[in-house]
């Protein structure tokens, strides 16, 4: 559970995690400069194996590591090239963030920063056992993976906190959560199936990782739709999702999450470049209408709702990535300063 005074505040902008390009120093300087309220440690998956969401976790696990397969990653019996590369890339990214932190005059000031990692359910869904089946098919392996991740993330958070003199928010990314729950993952062959994981088991695994942390935890999912019912019942402090994926049937779950005391991180700016001209008002409107429809006061936007891009930005042009952060920042500022005055024709 969180023991720090920092929380994911409302009325601020942050990023999801991934970023285009391969230069960690340039990326860190951009993120720290554009996201003054809550910068994050970027992921640069264009650098290849060990740099993407799943591969980076090989640098964070305790007593477990990954190797590559033609389909992605698998558990490996001993450290190899992929594990070493993941460690080297993470060190490079932390050094770049520390340099940008110092240049911005933030070192030692307790300013918040966010770090991201794949959550235990997405890892179990996307990483294979040595025999080629998903980790998710072996309950013992799933448990070991979750416990290793919990310990490794606690160490990672402590290191970032010490290096930057910052307060840390931990984001667990669970893009595969809905597929894990509905049993839609493919097996190693057409003759193998991956069972749907019952919600109580999934919740226990997620909470195993959350409970081990000394930082507040945001669970983010880009799934369509996100499994908000399970996430609301988790020990997470905050929930993040793409607002465009929320239909009428999910409205009650969003309201219940707010009533349960969760903070929200709404993905309001699309990752794809819009076909028409847009302004911050284009992306502020859906969040305002959501809060109005749920019957909460507009001050909820300033107190409980952070905003950002809908998902990671690694796959879009750098120019749009930078503009997406600026648009999110403008939306957050409007939510923080004048939510009651916002109107849309």
């Amino acid at each position: 559970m969180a023991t720090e005074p920092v929380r994911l505040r409302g009325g601020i902008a942050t990023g999801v995690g991934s970023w285009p390009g391969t230069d960690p120093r340039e990326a860190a300087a951009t993120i720290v400069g554009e996201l003054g309220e809550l910068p994050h440690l970027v992921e640069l998956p264009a650098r290849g194996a060990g740099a993407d969401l799943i591969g980076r976790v090989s640098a964070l696990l305790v007593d477990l590591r990954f190797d590559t397969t033609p389909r992605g990653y698998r558990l490996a019996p001993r450290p190899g090239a992929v594990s070493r590369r993941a460690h080297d890339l993470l060190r490079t990214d932390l050094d770049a963030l520390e340099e940008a932190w110092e240049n911005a005059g933030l070192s030692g000031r307790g300013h918040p920063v966010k770090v991201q990692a794949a959550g235990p359910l997405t890892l179990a869904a996307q990483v294979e056992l040595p025999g080629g089946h998903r980790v998710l098919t072996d309950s013992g392996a799933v448990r070991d993976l979750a416990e290793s991740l919990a310990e490794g993330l606690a160490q990672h958070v402590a290191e970032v906190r010490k290096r930057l003199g910052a307060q840390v928010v931990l984001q667990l990314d669970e893009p595969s959560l809905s597929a894990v729950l509905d049993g839609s993952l493919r097996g190693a062959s057409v003759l193998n199936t991956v069972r749907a994981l019952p919600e109580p088991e999934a919740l226990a695994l997620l909470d195993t990782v959350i409970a081990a942390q000394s930082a507040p935890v945001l669970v983010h999912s880009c799934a369509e739709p996100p499994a908000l019912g399970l996430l609301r019942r988790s020990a997470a402090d905050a929930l993040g999702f793409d607002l465009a994926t929320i239909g009428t049937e999910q409205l009650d779950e969003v309201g219940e999450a707010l009533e349960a005391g969760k903070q929200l991180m709404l993905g309001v700016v699309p990752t794809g470049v819009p076909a028409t001209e847009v302004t911050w008002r284009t992306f502020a409107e859906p969040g305002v209408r959501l809060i109005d429809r749920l019957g909460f006061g507009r001050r909820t936007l300033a107190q409980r709702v952070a905003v950002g891009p809908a998902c990671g930005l690694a796959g879009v042009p750098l120019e749009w990535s930078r503009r997406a952060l600026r648009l999110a920042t403008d939306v957050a500022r409007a939510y923080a300063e004048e939510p009651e005055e916002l109107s849309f024709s």
Side-chain angles (χ1 to χ4, degrees), residues 286-318:
V288 173
R289 295 199 183 280
L290 173 70
I291 293 301
D292 288 349
R293 187 169 182 181
L294 292 174
F296 290 90
R298 291 276 185 94
R299 292 306 301 170
T300 302
L301 293 164
Q303 298 165 350
R304 306 276 298 282
V305 178
V307 299
C311 207
L313 294 166
V316 298
L318 181 59

Side-chain angles (χ1 to χ4, degrees), residues 123-139:
L123 280 182
Q126 298 302 326
V127 176
E128 296 178 0
L129 297 164
H133 297 283
R134 298 178 192 265
V135 170
L136 192 63
T137 62
D138 184 326
S139 58

Side-chain angles (χ1 to χ4, degrees), residues 2-9 38 110-113 167-169 215-216 237:
T3 59
E4 294 184 310
V6 68
R7 295 187 71 198
L8 182 67
R9 297 188 291 107
L38 186 60
H111 192 81
V113 66
Q167 299 189 80
V168 181
V169 174
D237 298 88

Side-chain angles (χ1 to χ4, degrees), residues 244-286:
T245 66
I246 301 301
T248 303
E249 61 274 17
Q250 281 84 46
L251 287 177
D252 287 345
E253 293 176 333
V254 177
E256 289 167 1
L258 285 169
E259 289 173 351
K262 305 293 188 186
Q263 302 289 108
L264 300 182
M265 187 184 100
L266 300 182
V268 297
V269 181
T271 53
V273 182
T276 59
E277 184 60 33
V278 294
T279 70
W280 67 266
R281 297 182 65 85
T282 308
F283 304 122
E285 181 176 0

Side-chain angles (χ1 to χ4, degrees), residues 133-311:
H133 297 283
R134 298 178 192 265
V135 170
L136 192 63
T137 62
D138 184 326
S139 58
V142 172
R143 184 171 55 253
D144 290 345
L145 186 61
E147 292 174 352
S148 174
L149 178 65
E151 184 177 352
L153 286 176
Q155 295 175 5
H156 179 51
V157 166
E159 179 184 1
V160 173
R161 183 185 294 132
K162 181 178 180 180
R163 286 183 64 157
L164 303 184
Q167 299 189 80
V168 181
V169 174
L170 171 63
Q171 176 180 308
L172 296 177
D173 286 308
E174 288 285 9
S176 299
L177 176 56
S178 295
V180 168
L181 296 176
D182 65 24
S184 61
L185 292 166
R186 297 179 59 184
S189 72
V190 294
L191 299 179
N192 300 115
T193 59
V194 180
R195 72 181 179 106
L197 192 68
E199 284 200 5
E201 293 182 33
L203 186 60
L205 289 165
L206 187 59
D207 281 350
T208 291
V209 176
I210 295 172
Q213 307 309 314
S214 63
V217 176
L218 157 69
V219 180
H220 181 270
S221 179
C222 290
E224 298 184 26
L228 294 181
L230 181 142
L231 295 179
R232 174 182 57 80
R233 295 191 296 277
S234 77
D237 298 88
L239 313 180
F241 51 89
D242 177 359
L243 184 53
T245 66
I246 301 301
T248 303
E249 61 274 17
Q250 281 84 46
L251 287 177
D252 287 345
E253 293 176 333
V254 177
E256 289 167 1
L258 285 169
E259 289 173 351
K262 305 293 188 186
Q263 302 289 108
L264 300 182
M265 187 184 100
L266 300 182
V268 297
V269 181
T271 53
V273 182
T276 59
E277 184 60 33
V278 294
T279 70
W280 67 266
R281 297 182 65 85
T282 308
F283 304 122
E285 181 176 0
V288 173
R289 295 199 183 280
L290 173 70
I291 293 301
D292 288 349
R293 187 169 182 181
L294 292 174
F296 290 90
R298 291 276 185 94
R299 292 306 301 170
T300 302
L301 293 164
Q303 298 165 350
R304 306 276 298 282
V305 178
V307 299
C311 207

